[in-house]
mmCIF file of all heavy atoms in Angstrom:
data_model
loop_
_atom_site.group_PDB
_atom_site.id
_atom_site.type_symbol
_atom_site.label_atom_id
_atom_site.label_comp_id
_atom_site.label_asym_id
_atom_site.label_seq_id
_atom_site.Cartn_x
_atom_site.Cartn_y
_atom_site.Cartn_z
ATOM 1 N N ALA G 373 2.854 -3.276 10.783
ATOM 2 C CA ALA G 373 4.314 -3.253 10.920
ATOM 3 C C ALA G 373 4.745 -2.697 12.279
ATOM 4 O O ALA G 373 5.723 -3.167 12.861
ATOM 5 C CB ALA G 373 4.925 -2.428 9.787
ATOM 6 N N THR G 401 0.732 -17.852 -7.868
ATOM 7 C CA THR G 401 1.570 -16.664 -8.100
ATOM 8 C C THR G 401 1.754 -16.438 -9.594
ATOM 9 O O THR G 401 2.118 -17.361 -10.327
ATOM 10 C CB THR G 401 2.943 -16.867 -7.421
ATOM 11 O OG1 THR G 401 2.719 -17.045 -6.024
ATOM 12 C CG2 THR G 401 3.863 -15.673 -7.635
ATOM 13 N N ILE G 509 11.819 -0.538 30.258
ATOM 14 C CA ILE G 509 12.894 0.262 29.667
ATOM 15 C C ILE G 509 12.534 1.740 29.772
ATOM 16 O O ILE G 509 11.373 2.121 29.553
ATOM 17 C CB ILE G 509 13.129 -0.177 28.197
ATOM 18 C CG1 ILE G 509 13.767 -1.576 28.178
ATOM 19 C CG2 ILE G 509 13.995 0.830 27.439
ATOM 20 C CD1 ILE G 509 13.790 -2.228 26.820
#
Side-chain angles (χ1 to χ4, degrees):
T401 300
I509 290 168

